[in-house]
Amino acid sequence: MIDFPILTHSSDRDIIACCKGRAVTVREFLGEAASLAGRLPERPYLLNDCADRYRFAVVFAAALLRRQISLLPPTLTPETVRQLARSFPGVYCLTDDPHRAIDLPLLLYPEDLSIADVERVPVPHPDQIAAIALTSGSTGAPVPHAKTWGNLARSARAEGERLGITAGRHIVLGTVPAQHMYGFESTVLLPLQNGAALAAARPFYPADVCAAIEQLPDAAVLVTTPFHLRALLTIEGTLPAVDLLVSATAPLAPQLAQAAEARFGAPLLEIYGCTEAGQLATRRSVEGPEWTAFPGISIYRAKDGFRVRGGHVAGEVRLDDVLELTSPQRFVWLGRSGDMINIAGKRTSLAYLNHQIAAIPGVLDAVFVMPDEQAHGSVTRLTAYAVAPGLTQASLMQALRERLDPAFLPRPLHLVACLPRNATGKLPRGALEALSESLREAS
Amino acid sequence: MTLANETLEREVTDLVISTLNLDVSPEAVDPEAPLYREGLGLDSIDILEIALVVSKRYGFQLRADNEDNVRIFGSLRSLSQHIAVHRVEC
């Protein structure tokens, strides 16, 4: 059995994080994680809500030491939080935001953490469940995907090898939250398992991202999304140099990839994956559309679509995408299957959205529609039609806000007298388009 | 409120509505209403879109760390005031 220590740095004096310009050593990190572990309540599940990436990593390590499972839900709407509390009895939330309002037992990240003496790097058991990532599923209840420590560590090492992460040289800066599978893998586990460092900040505006890159002492790896990359490339003048660009959550247009490589002076690698199976493949987008799977991973066509197994993937996982396989290791992505949608890198299904709106008291019938995407790169939003005689647009929107991630809120939301269902109860797209057209004319 | 500020506020309202394809008329927007959630219902995707058009139109980059971001995007009025202070006159 291979051992997977919490981190792979060669010395406790190595730098593991950069927090507001201050370098944090491995000794400090392990000491803080051990201190925090001693202060965690005796509970099985933890929602790690720390926005600061270094603190997120300390909390994750402390939870590992206490054998507590970190939950990674897709969103934190009040309805999702209620479901978490139901599905994971005893769950509590650890946050670094003193103003955080969330309906769970709440613990604030301690400001006065001492640095305990840690003699050796802890080695969690590879079969220990370290995290449970959740997807929205199609029935309204979140679907759990357990990740063992061994799976996570193997995957992060494979990623480090594929991206060429060098111990002691790279600092990973992310525009994505650590709480989502991609951010968790590529901005927290990747540096921990490859002797690299992480930047604590999560810059949002393009100017902030550039400033954060310039403040880093070593070679920066920028972990981002097509959505943020597009924003960064609107900056005029020179962009700061990075060592590597990493993008995931949605495929990047080739021209955007080319522009990003040219302006940042670095190769851009895309990662293909999903919450269910984790990261699976990479490609350098300027070299062509084909993806190459991580070592040990194989993808094959099954009756119900495409499935993946091997490597760090636990069992077999069905993919929500349509692929063209050239071998079990190489493929081209053709599109999302059926009713999957992706808005600015967030994924859900129309079935899930339709289930959520139908569950609102007063809604008699409703449907979400994804309009054809705009060509010029701006984010396309969903449209929804609802039959809800007793509700106003504002009250229905408020009820949706309770249940849905803001990215999936409909824009526009139409209240209508009835939906154009055909004899079999289906809603033909043409009929909906005609309805939409008549609503536009009426307004 | 000066005439210049009033003109700018109207301009910013139009810009936000057209950038985000919002289903609302400029007259119907309360300049003091929150942009997030209940008001115009903006989310972080929208905020980034607006940051891009603001930099293009008014010649300065929004930053999160030099001012309270939540306050800037508190309402159309506060966003307009922020733009009035930082805009680069062409």
Side-chain angles (χ1 to χ4, degrees):
Chain A
M1 194 169 72
I2 310 173
D3 275 346
F4 296 108
I6 280 186
L7 48 83
T8 62
H9 301 64
S10 52
S11 151
D12 68 357
R13 291 187 306 277
D14 287 357
I15 304 302
I16 196 164
C18 202
C19 306
K20 299 187 178 85
R22 187 180 77 87
V24 181
T25 63
V26 166
R27 190 184 73 82
E28 288 173 90
F29 171 77
L30 291 175
E32 288 194 13
S35 277
L36 181 61
R39 290 164 69 159
L40 295 181
E42 188 53 54
R43 284 170 171 267
Y45 302 108
L46 158 76
L47 186 69
N48 184 346
D49 184 61
C50 291
D52 176 288
R53 214 174 295 273
Y54 172 70
R55 288 177 170 177
F56 178 96
V58 171
V59 171
F60 173 67
L64 267 182
L65 296 175
R66 285 288 299 276
R67 296 178 164 269
Q68 295 185 4
I69 298 173
S70 297
L71 300 181
L72 305 170
T75 178
L76 281 178
T77 59
E79 176 62 18
T80 310
V81 171
R82 280 192 287 273
Q83 284 177 329
L84 285 181
R86 270 200 300 273
S87 307
F88 301 98
V91 60
Y92 69 107
C93 172
L94 205 159
T95 182
D96 56 354
D97 175 1
H99 307 292
R100 185 61 152 141
I102 191 166
D103 200 10
L104 288 174
L106 199 60
L107 191 68
L108 192 60
Y109 189 95
E111 289 292 342
D112 59 340
L113 267 187
S114 57
I115 297 172
D117 254 333
V118 178
E119 299 243 325
R120 62 176 66 87
V121 180
V123 184
H125 193 284
D127 296 338
Q128 180 184 331
I129 294 180
I132 295 179
L134 296 133
T135 48
S136 50
S138 58
T139 58
V143 182
H145 310 280
K147 313 282 177 183
T148 65
W149 172 240
N151 287 351
L152 291 174
R154 281 176 68 186
S155 145
R157 291 180 188 194
E159 182 183 12
E161 207 164 306
R162 188 57 73 80
L163 302 182
I165 300 298
T166 313
R169 178 166 187 269
H170 284 115
I171 293 191
V172 177
L173 173 74
T175 62
V176 288
Q179 284 81 358
H180 285 195
M181 199 59 199
Y182 166 47
F184 181 50
E185 286 171 324
S186 296
T187 68
V188 179
L189 297 170
L190 176 74
L192 289 181
Q193 288 298 304
N194 293 278
L198 59 88
R202 184 187 155 200
F204 175 71
Y205 293 119
D208 290 335
V209 177
C210 293
I213 294 169
E214 279 164 349
Q215 281 165 4
L216 295 177
D218 288 311
V221 177
L222 180 63
V223 173
T224 188
T225 66
F227 174 64
H228 274 100
L229 262 181
R230 188 173 62 86
L232 278 163
L233 295 178
T234 62
I235 288 188
E236 285 168 14
T238 318
L239 290 173
V242 299
D243 211 65
L244 173 68
L245 292 163
V246 180
S247 175
T249 69
L252 200 56
Q255 30 316 18
L256 197 57
Q258 257 156 359
E261 286 209 1
R263 298 216 34 217
F264 281 100
L268 182 144
L269 292 174
E270 282 187 89
I271 298 177
Y272 171 86
C274 57
T275 302
E276 294 86 337
Q279 50 191 1
L280 300 169
T282 56
R283 69 176 178 187
R284 185 169 175 191
S285 327
V286 297
E287 290 173 350
E290 196 169 61
W291 297 88
T292 305
F294 283 108
I297 300 263
S298 60
I299 297 164
Y300 64 101
R301 182 191 284 275
K303 280 199 179 103
D304 58 353
F306 292 88
R307 287 176 163 259
V308 58
R309 66 181 166 216
H312 60 263
V313 178
E316 273 186 12
V317 176
R318 194 179 70 84
L319 299 171
D320 283 321
D321 294 309
V322 182
L323 312 174
E324 183 188 333
L325 289 180
T326 40
S327 81
Q329 282 265 297
R330 300 176 77 85
F331 61 92
V332 175
W333 183 86
L334 298 178
R336 288 180 289 276
S337 52
D339 75 344
M340 295 307 295
I341 53 170
N342 183 323
I343 295 181
K346 294 188 173 186
R347 293 170 71 119
T348 190
S349 68
L350 287 169
Y352 170 81
L353 297 171
N354 290 338
H355 178 93
Q356 291 293 343
I357 193 169
I360 293 168
V363 174
L364 306 181
D365 195 5
V367 65
F368 272 85
V369 179
M370 186 71 189
D372 292 333
E373 288 181 27
Q374 309 288 322
H376 56 79
S378 71
V379 176
T380 307
R381 299 289 188 150
L382 290 146
T383 302
Y385 304 90
V387 182
L391 296 178
T392 62
Q393 205 174 25
S395 63
L396 184 49
M397 269 312 266
Q398 187 49 40
L400 282 168
R401 232 174 249 128
E402 283 272 312
R403 295 168 164 272
L404 300 183
D405 188 284
F408 305 130
L409 289 169
R411 192 185 289 173
L413 163 66
H414 295 295
L415 286 175
V416 292
C418 67
L419 292 180
R421 291 191 182 275
N422 65 14
T424 56
K426 289 204 166 56
L427 282 163
R429 192 163 178 121
L432 282 169
E433 278 165 8
L435 176 65
S436 170
E437 197 53 44
S438 68
L439 289 165
R440 253 200 303 274
E441 281 167 14
S443 68
Chain B
M1 195 189 237
T2 66
L3 186 63
N5 283 358
E6 214 167 308
T7 311
L8 178 65
E9 194 170 276
R10 176 63 202 254
E11 201 177 88
V12 173
T13 306
D14 290 347
L15 189 68
V16 168
I17 289 172
S18 65
T19 303
L20 305 177
N21 290 326
L22 295 177
D23 194 16
V24 56
S25 72
E27 298 76 24
V29 178
D30 172 2
E32 297 277 2
L35 289 172
Y36 282 112
R37 297 180 58 89
E38 288 75 10
L40 282 178
L42 269 52
D43 62 15
S44 63
I45 301 171
D46 299 319
I47 301 294
L48 196 54
E49 296 278 356
I50 292 173
L52 300 189
V53 295
V54 163
S55 72
K56 207 183 277 182
R57 173 79 67 95
Y58 300 106
F60 75 98
Q61 295 280 351
L62 284 162
R63 297 286 302 267
D65 51 5
N66 60 358
E67 273 217 51
D68 182 358
N69 201 22
V70 174
R71 199 188 56 73
I72 296 169
F73 279 96
S75 67
L76 273 166
R77 183 151 294 162
S78 58
L79 177 62
S80 304
Q81 284 164 349
H82 184 75
I83 291 170
V85 172
H86 293 272
R87 69 189 295 180
V88 177
E89 297 297 344
C90 315

